[in-house]
Each structure stands twice: as structure tokens, then as C-alpha cells.
Amino acid sequence: MSFDTPDNEIQVNDTFSVNLFAETTTDSDAFFSWDLSINFDSSIFNLDSLVLGDEFVSAPNTNLEDLSATLPLSLANPFFPSISGDDILLISFNFTALAAGTSELFTSLGNNDAGFTSAFLQPLDATHASTSLTVQGANEVPEPGALLLMLLTSLSLMAFRRKA
């Protein structure tokens, strides 16, 4: 698995998407369902919405409208055969940057500890995805007091220069 992250710098209040992709190395790695959680620092990012890959449907008990009920996700391919290949889009996560800082974004096994399963509901070996995302702080605006101090200093230097 791997994340596809934004190419540009993320600023506070920016919205951005992160895609989670899977890749199988052989046809015997083909999978039918997956059950994963995504982990991140919720003080830096807010998860706004999820968009499933075209080949998946959510489990009946997963309510994608209520984001508090979405993690972990249990998803399955509604069509046979199982899925294999490169760049299989599992899900797109849409975030808003809340604060400056860096957060690790990583996957972990879901509730059933299965991760990925074959069409015969056999667990498949999978590597987890992780990446680090940094949010840049907004450019700070000088306080009026600091500007007044600079102005007074400049005037004092000019007055001192005239006397000399």
C-alpha cells in the first residue's frame, strides 16, 4: 500500500486530498476485501470526507455520512473475481489543515485483524502505508506595538543624526 500526497506545501486552513493505493505483485495476491484504519494527529488535520475507490462498497454497518463511524473501514469488492494489479485506488481522504505542525499518516489493521482477505476469506500479507505531512503556519503579521517601536527608533536615530 502507498499514499499519494499533495505536491504543494500545505498551509493552515488548506483543504487537500490523500489517496491510498494498493498494489498486488502476483495473481495469488488478489484481494476481495480490506479492513483498515487510518491514523493521524487530529489536532493538525481534520478528516472532512471519504471517497471510496470505484471497485469497493462499504460494509452494511459502515455509515460514510457520519465520519466518527467510518474508522476502521470494512470494504469489499461487490463483483468477482478478486482485484489485482497496480495502482488500485482504495480510498481518498479529504482533510483540512487545522494547525501548523507535522503528523505521521499511517494505516493499521481494522477490527477483525484481517487487513486484506482473498475471495475465500483467507488473510493476505500486506504492508502498511505511512507518510509524513507538514502544515506550514500562516505568515505572522507584526503587532502594532512592534511597528510603533520601529517608528520611534527610526525617528530617534534621525533626530540624533541631525544634532551630530
Side-chain angles (χ1 to χ4, degrees):
M1 288 189 302
S2 62
F3 285 113
D4 178 30
T5 58
D7 292 334
N8 55 336
E9 282 188 359
I10 303 168
Q11 301 288 328
V12 174
N13 296 324
D14 282 356
T15 57
F16 61 96
S17 296
V18 176
N19 297 319
L20 179 60
F21 288 96
E23 178 179 311
T24 60
T25 54
T26 66
D27 286 341
S28 63
D29 290 335
F31 62 96
F32 173 72
S33 66
W34 53 278
D35 183 19
L36 297 172
S37 285
I38 185 164
N39 303 283
F40 58 93
D41 186 341
S42 60
S43 68
I44 297 176
F45 305 122
N46 181 58
L47 178 60
D48 299 326
S49 64
L50 309 167
V51 179
L52 299 177
D54 291 339
E55 293 144 335
F56 300 99
V57 295
S58 62
N61 62 350
T62 303
N63 178 4
L64 292 178
E65 298 300 318
D66 177 12
L67 292 179
S68 63
T70 57
L71 301 173
L73 291 167
S74 297
L75 302 163
N77 173 12
F79 311 105
F80 284 96
S82 297
I83 300 169
S84 64
D86 297 335
D87 295 329
I88 302 163
L89 177 61
L90 300 177
I91 193 164
S92 293
F93 299 96
N94 300 307
F95 291 99
T96 298
L98 301 175
T102 300
S103 175
E104 188 75 16
L105 183 66
F106 62 96
T107 60
S108 61
L109 295 177
N111 287 337
N112 67 8
D113 291 336
F116 286 80
T117 56
S118 70
F120 301 106
L121 302 180
Q122 297 299 312
L124 298 170
D125 288 334
T127 58
H128 293 285
S130 69
T131 191
S132 184
L133 295 171
T134 300
V135 176
Q136 304 296 321
N139 293 333
E140 294 186 24
V141 176
E143 293 184 26
L147 290 175
L148 182 60
L149 183 59
M150 284 182 10
L151 179 64
L152 288 174
T153 304
S154 298
L155 291 173
S156 299
L157 288 173
M158 286 177 18
F160 180 72
R161 185 173 179 183
R162 280 190 183 163
K163 287 182 181 180

